[in-house]
Amino acid sequence: IILPLEWFPLNKPSAGDYFHMAYNVITPFLLLKLIERSPKTLPRSMVYVSIIMFVMGASIHLVGDSVNHRLIFSGYQHHLSVRENPIIKNLKPETLIDSFELLYYYDEYLGHSMWYIPFFLILFIYFTGCFTPVEEESRMPVAALLLMGPSSLYYWYLVTEGQIFILYIFTFFAMMALVMHQKRKGLVLDSNGLFLFYSFIITLVLIAVWVVWLWNDKILRKKYPGVIYIPEPWAFYTLHMSNLH
């Protein structure tokens, strides 16, 4: 969308796709390193299964997301359902629409579930080992404070675009409960734990601001009719910003 289309033709991966491919390699490696550094961990076989699920889910999402974003150039609108999209609803034969709905299911539901469940599970397991009885270790360096903003924005994007608020909020509640439980034992979060915990808090604030800002958007309300109303950034983009290009 930002770079010239001539650089990345529609029948080839986009720049974002290449970054996503790198993410699918780098992030599992970093998650393994987190588990290795944590004094509390999962059984080795469960760690392997979690990482495999993560890679599979992120890869499924990569394919579906790549196609969906390329469809924007053809007029696809993310704030509408698959069948309501002008470029989809008139396809012949109609069974093609089922194929696009299957692609959407793989991307938005199956891919996200396989991607985010092991991701947040590993983060939480790592968090359980981020406690110390030494107060001096419960201070974040300046570099961590500077990185907290980008980290929170990253989690905000994961939660909103991935539509995983329930998974996120349950993880956050589990973290809060663990903090209170460990406090009774005289343990406090170390700098790594504080960074993760505060990032989740700021993420919750960002989500709240996002929801309040778009609370009265009738079109997005129609796309997200459930009790939990958290619009996707890409839906907002195709509805309000795509005509600016």
Side-chain angles (χ1 to χ4, degrees), residues 104-120:
Y104 184 85
Y105 172 81
Y106 270 111
D107 177 16
E108 296 294 325
Y109 296 102
L110 184 61
H112 284 178
S113 298
M114 295 179 67
W115 176 5
Y116 293 125
I117 290 175
F119 178 77
F120 280 93

PDB file of all heavy atoms in Angstrom, residues 104-120:
ATOM      1  N   TYR A 104     -10.782 -16.905   4.466  1.00  0.00           N
ATOM      2  CA  TYR A 104     -10.986 -16.000   5.602  1.00  0.00           C
ATOM      3  C   TYR A 104     -10.984 -16.776   6.914  1.00  0.00           C
ATOM      4  O   TYR A 104     -10.411 -16.332   7.910  1.00  0.00           O
ATOM      5  CB  TYR A 104     -12.311 -15.255   5.424  1.00  0.00           C
ATOM      6  CG  TYR A 104     -12.585 -14.218   6.486  1.00  0.00           C
ATOM      7  CD1 TYR A 104     -12.065 -12.931   6.378  1.00  0.00           C
ATOM      8  CD2 TYR A 104     -13.366 -14.524   7.602  1.00  0.00           C
ATOM      9  CE1 TYR A 104     -12.313 -11.972   7.352  1.00  0.00           C
ATOM     10  CE2 TYR A 104     -13.621 -13.575   8.579  1.00  0.00           C
ATOM     11  CZ  TYR A 104     -13.090 -12.307   8.449  1.00  0.00           C
ATOM     12  OH  TYR A 104     -13.336 -11.357   9.423  1.00  0.00           O
ATOM     13  N   TYR A 105     -11.612 -17.958   6.908  1.00  0.00           N
ATOM     14  CA  TYR A 105     -11.648 -18.781   8.119  1.00  0.00           C
ATOM     15  C   TYR A 105     -10.245 -19.223   8.523  1.00  0.00           C
ATOM     16  O   TYR A 105      -9.869 -19.158   9.699  1.00  0.00           O
ATOM     17  CB  TYR A 105     -12.539 -20.004   7.885  1.00  0.00           C
ATOM     18  CG  TYR A 105     -12.486 -21.004   9.020  1.00  0.00           C
ATOM     19  CD1 TYR A 105     -13.235 -20.804  10.178  1.00  0.00           C
ATOM     20  CD2 TYR A 105     -11.673 -22.136   8.936  1.00  0.00           C
ATOM     21  CE1 TYR A 105     -13.176 -21.712  11.227  1.00  0.00           C
ATOM     22  CE2 TYR A 105     -11.609 -23.043   9.981  1.00  0.00           C
ATOM     23  CZ  TYR A 105     -12.359 -22.827  11.121  1.00  0.00           C
ATOM     24  OH  TYR A 105     -12.287 -23.717  12.158  1.00  0.00           O
ATOM     25  N   TYR A 106      -9.478 -19.677   7.540  1.00  0.00           N
ATOM     26  CA  TYR A 106      -8.103 -20.092   7.839  1.00  0.00           C
ATOM     27  C   TYR A 106      -7.294 -18.924   8.403  1.00  0.00           C
ATOM     28  O   TYR A 106      -6.505 -19.097   9.336  1.00  0.00           O
ATOM     29  CB  TYR A 106      -7.418 -20.621   6.574  1.00  0.00           C
ATOM     30  CG  TYR A 106      -7.601 -22.100   6.353  1.00  0.00           C
ATOM     31  CD1 TYR A 106      -8.382 -22.587   5.308  1.00  0.00           C
ATOM     32  CD2 TYR A 106      -6.983 -23.027   7.189  1.00  0.00           C
ATOM     33  CE1 TYR A 106      -8.551 -23.943   5.109  1.00  0.00           C
ATOM     34  CE2 TYR A 106      -7.144 -24.385   6.993  1.00  0.00           C
ATOM     35  CZ  TYR A 106      -7.926 -24.842   5.956  1.00  0.00           C
ATOM     36  OH  TYR A 106      -8.091 -26.191   5.762  1.00  0.00           O
ATOM     37  N   ASP A 107      -7.479 -17.754   7.838  1.00  0.00           N
ATOM     38  CA  ASP A 107      -6.715 -16.584   8.259  1.00  0.00           C
ATOM     39  C   ASP A 107      -7.161 -16.097   9.630  1.00  0.00           C
ATOM     40  O   ASP A 107      -6.361 -16.011  10.570  1.00  0.00           O
ATOM     41  CB  ASP A 107      -6.876 -15.473   7.210  1.00  0.00           C
ATOM     42  CG  ASP A 107      -6.170 -14.186   7.603  1.00  0.00           C
ATOM     43  OD1 ASP A 107      -5.315 -14.222   8.511  1.00  0.00           O
ATOM     44  OD2 ASP A 107      -6.475 -13.142   7.009  1.00  0.00           O
ATOM     45  N   GLU A 108      -8.440 -15.792   9.767  1.00  0.00           N
ATOM     46  CA  GLU A 108      -8.930 -15.079  10.945  1.00  0.00           C
ATOM     47  C   GLU A 108      -9.228 -15.971  12.148  1.00  0.00           C
ATOM     48  O   GLU A 108      -9.207 -15.489  13.284  1.00  0.00           O
ATOM     49  CB  GLU A 108     -10.202 -14.296  10.577  1.00  0.00           C
ATOM     50  CG  GLU A 108      -9.977 -13.206   9.548  1.00  0.00           C
ATOM     51  CD  GLU A 108      -9.098 -12.086  10.081  1.00  0.00           C
ATOM     52  OE1 GLU A 108      -9.196 -11.780  11.289  1.00  0.00           O
ATOM     53  OE2 GLU A 108      -8.314 -11.528   9.297  1.00  0.00           O
ATOM     54  N   TYR A 109      -9.504 -17.222  11.932  1.00  0.00           N
ATOM     55  CA  TYR A 109      -9.898 -18.082  13.048  1.00  0.00           C
ATOM     56  C   TYR A 109      -8.864 -19.173  13.332  1.00  0.00           C
ATOM     57  O   TYR A 109      -8.236 -19.174  14.397  1.00  0.00           O
ATOM     58  CB  TYR A 109     -11.278 -18.706  12.767  1.00  0.00           C
ATOM     59  CG  TYR A 109     -12.373 -17.677  12.684  1.00  0.00           C
ATOM     60  CD1 TYR A 109     -12.870 -17.257  11.451  1.00  0.00           C
ATOM     61  CD2 TYR A 109     -12.900 -17.104  13.836  1.00  0.00           C
ATOM     62  CE1 TYR A 109     -13.865 -16.296  11.366  1.00  0.00           C
ATOM     63  CE2 TYR A 109     -13.905 -16.141  13.769  1.00  0.00           C
ATOM     64  CZ  TYR A 109     -14.378 -15.742  12.528  1.00  0.00           C
ATOM     65  OH  TYR A 109     -15.348 -14.786  12.452  1.00  0.00           O
ATOM     66  N   LEU A 110      -8.675 -20.073  12.387  1.00  0.00           N
ATOM     67  CA  LEU A 110      -7.750 -21.177  12.623  1.00  0.00           C
ATOM     68  C   LEU A 110      -6.313 -20.680  12.781  1.00  0.00           C
ATOM     69  O   LEU A 110      -5.614 -21.046  13.731  1.00  0.00           O
ATOM     70  CB  LEU A 110      -7.841 -22.184  11.469  1.00  0.00           C
ATOM     71  CG  LEU A 110      -6.998 -23.454  11.627  1.00  0.00           C
ATOM     72  CD1 LEU A 110      -7.443 -24.234  12.861  1.00  0.00           C
ATOM     73  CD2 LEU A 110      -7.109 -24.323  10.378  1.00  0.00           C
ATOM     74  N   GLY A 111      -5.885 -19.828  11.858  1.00  0.00           N
ATOM     75  CA  GLY A 111      -4.519 -19.316  11.914  1.00  0.00           C
ATOM     76  C   GLY A 111      -4.251 -18.529  13.183  1.00  0.00           C
ATOM     77  O   GLY A 111      -3.235 -18.726  13.851  1.00  0.00           O
ATOM     78  N   HIS A 112      -5.181 -17.647  13.534  1.00  0.00           N
ATOM     79  CA  HIS A 112      -4.994 -16.831  14.736  1.00  0.00           C
ATOM     80  C   HIS A 112      -4.976 -17.687  16.001  1.00  0.00           C
ATOM     81  O   HIS A 112      -4.182 -17.439  16.915  1.00  0.00           O
ATOM     82  CB  HIS A 112      -6.098 -15.784  14.832  1.00  0.00           C
ATOM     83  CG  HIS A 112      -5.902 -14.638  13.887  1.00  0.00           C
ATOM     84  ND1 HIS A 112      -6.801 -13.601  13.767  1.00  0.00           N
ATOM     85  CD2 HIS A 112      -4.903 -14.362  13.019  1.00  0.00           C
ATOM     86  CE1 HIS A 112      -6.362 -12.738  12.868  1.00  0.00           C
ATOM     87  NE2 HIS A 112      -5.220 -13.181  12.395  1.00  0.00           N
ATOM     88  N   SER A 113      -5.848 -18.674  16.069  1.00  0.00           N
ATOM     89  CA  SER A 113      -5.887 -19.532  17.262  1.00  0.00           C
ATOM     90  C   SER A 113      -4.583 -20.298  17.432  1.00  0.00           C
ATOM     91  O   SER A 113      -4.009 -20.352  18.531  1.00  0.00           O
ATOM     92  CB  SER A 113      -7.064 -20.512  17.164  1.00  0.00           C
ATOM     93  OG  SER A 113      -8.295 -19.819  17.127  1.00  0.00           O
ATOM     94  N   MET A 114      -4.104 -20.892  16.340  1.00  0.00           N
ATOM     95  CA  MET A 114      -2.861 -21.667  16.414  1.00  0.00           C
ATOM     96  C   MET A 114      -1.650 -20.769  16.649  1.00  0.00           C
ATOM     97  O   MET A 114      -0.635 -21.218  17.194  1.00  0.00           O
ATOM     98  CB  MET A 114      -2.680 -22.469  15.127  1.00  0.00           C
ATOM     99  CG  MET A 114      -3.725 -23.541  14.908  1.00  0.00           C
ATOM    100  SD  MET A 114      -3.476 -24.442  13.357  1.00  0.00           S
ATOM    101  CE  MET A 114      -1.944 -25.297  13.710  1.00  0.00           C
ATOM    102  N   TRP A 115      -1.756 -19.524  16.256  1.00  0.00           N
ATOM    103  CA  TRP A 115      -0.657 -18.572  16.422  1.00  0.00           C
ATOM    104  C   TRP A 115      -0.625 -18.011  17.842  1.00  0.00           C
ATOM    105  O   TRP A 115       0.400 -18.056  18.529  1.00  0.00           O
ATOM    106  CB  TRP A 115      -0.838 -17.466  15.390  1.00  0.00           C
ATOM    107  CG  TRP A 115       0.138 -16.327  15.435  1.00  0.00           C
ATOM    108  CD1 TRP A 115       1.247 -16.195  16.226  1.00  0.00           C
ATOM    109  CD2 TRP A 115       0.086 -15.138  14.634  1.00  0.00           C
ATOM    110  NE1 TRP A 115       1.885 -14.997  15.972  1.00  0.00           N
ATOM    111  CE2 TRP A 115       1.196 -14.337  15.003  1.00  0.00           C
ATOM    112  CE3 TRP A 115      -0.788 -14.687  13.650  1.00  0.00           C
ATOM    113  CZ2 TRP A 115       1.438 -13.096  14.407  1.00  0.00           C
ATOM    114  CZ3 TRP A 115      -0.538 -13.455  13.062  1.00  0.00           C
ATOM    115  CH2 TRP A 115       0.566 -12.671  13.433  1.00  0.00           C
ATOM    116  N   TYR A 116      -1.747 -17.492  18.304  1.00  0.00           N
ATOM    117  CA  TYR A 116      -1.740 -16.694  19.526  1.00  0.00           C
ATOM    118  C   TYR A 116      -1.836 -17.508  20.815  1.00  0.00           C
ATOM    119  O   TYR A 116      -1.315 -17.079  21.850  1.00  0.00           O
ATOM    120  CB  TYR A 116      -2.877 -15.672  19.485  1.00  0.00           C
ATOM    121  CG  TYR A 116      -2.686 -14.612  18.431  1.00  0.00           C
ATOM    122  CD1 TYR A 116      -3.665 -14.364  17.468  1.00  0.00           C
ATOM    123  CD2 TYR A 116      -1.515 -13.854  18.382  1.00  0.00           C
ATOM    124  CE1 TYR A 116      -3.492 -13.389  16.503  1.00  0.00           C
ATOM    125  CE2 TYR A 116      -1.332 -12.887  17.418  1.00  0.00           C
ATOM    126  CZ  TYR A 116      -2.324 -12.654  16.477  1.00  0.00           C
ATOM    127  OH  TYR A 116      -2.139 -11.694  15.524  1.00  0.00           O
ATOM    128  N   ILE A 117      -2.509 -18.642  20.792  1.00  0.00           N
ATOM    129  CA  ILE A 117      -2.621 -19.421  22.032  1.00  0.00           C
ATOM    130  C   ILE A 117      -1.250 -19.860  22.538  1.00  0.00           C
ATOM    131  O   ILE A 117      -0.909 -19.613  23.702  1.00  0.00           O
ATOM    132  CB  ILE A 117      -3.579 -20.615  21.840  1.00  0.00           C
ATOM    133  CG1 ILE A 117      -5.018 -20.107  21.693  1.00  0.00           C
ATOM    134  CG2 ILE A 117      -3.476 -21.587  23.017  1.00  0.00           C
ATOM    135  CD1 ILE A 117      -6.031 -21.189  21.382  1.00  0.00           C
ATOM    136  N   PRO A 118      -0.415 -20.498  21.709  1.00  0.00           N
ATOM    137  CA  PRO A 118       0.928 -20.836  22.220  1.00  0.00           C
ATOM    138  C   PRO A 118       1.780 -19.606  22.510  1.00  0.00           C
ATOM    139  O   PRO A 118       2.604 -19.623  23.426  1.00  0.00           O
ATOM    140  CB  PRO A 118       1.536 -21.688  21.096  1.00  0.00           C
ATOM    141  CG  PRO A 118       0.727 -21.414  19.888  1.00  0.00           C
ATOM    142  CD  PRO A 118      -0.635 -21.059  20.366  1.00  0.00           C
ATOM    143  N   PHE A 119       1.572 -18.527  21.763  1.00  0.00           N
ATOM    144  CA  PHE A 119       2.342 -17.302  21.987  1.00  0.00           C
ATOM    145  C   PHE A 119       2.097 -16.754  23.391  1.00  0.00           C
ATOM    146  O   PHE A 119       3.039 -16.494  24.155  1.00  0.00           O
ATOM    147  CB  PHE A 119       1.962 -16.264  20.927  1.00  0.00           C
ATOM    148  CG  PHE A 119       2.656 -14.938  21.084  1.00  0.00           C
ATOM    149  CD1 PHE A 119       3.972 -14.778  20.691  1.00  0.00           C
ATOM    150  CD2 PHE A 119       1.993 -13.849  21.627  1.00  0.00           C
ATOM    151  CE1 PHE A 119       4.622 -13.554  20.832  1.00  0.00           C
ATOM    152  CE2 PHE A 119       2.623 -12.623  21.775  1.00  0.00           C
ATOM    153  CZ  PHE A 119       3.942 -12.475  21.376  1.00  0.00           C
ATOM    154  N   PHE A 120       0.831 -16.599  23.754  1.00  0.00           N
ATOM    155  CA  PHE A 120       0.514 -16.058  25.076  1.00  0.00           C
ATOM    156  C   PHE A 120       0.803 -17.067  26.182  1.00  0.00           C
ATOM    157  O   PHE A 120       1.136 -16.679  27.306  1.00  0.00           O
ATOM    158  CB  PHE A 120      -0.945 -15.600  25.125  1.00  0.00           C
ATOM    159  CG  PHE A 120      -1.171 -14.250  24.508  1.00  0.00           C
ATOM    160  CD1 PHE A 120      -1.537 -14.124  23.184  1.00  0.00           C
ATOM    161  CD2 PHE A 120      -0.993 -13.094  25.249  1.00  0.00           C
ATOM    162  CE1 PHE A 120      -1.732 -12.884  22.603  1.00  0.00           C
ATOM    163  CE2 PHE A 120      -1.182 -11.839  24.683  1.00  0.00           C
ATOM    164  CZ  PHE A 120      -1.551 -11.733  23.356  1.00  0.00           C
TER     165      PHE A 120
END
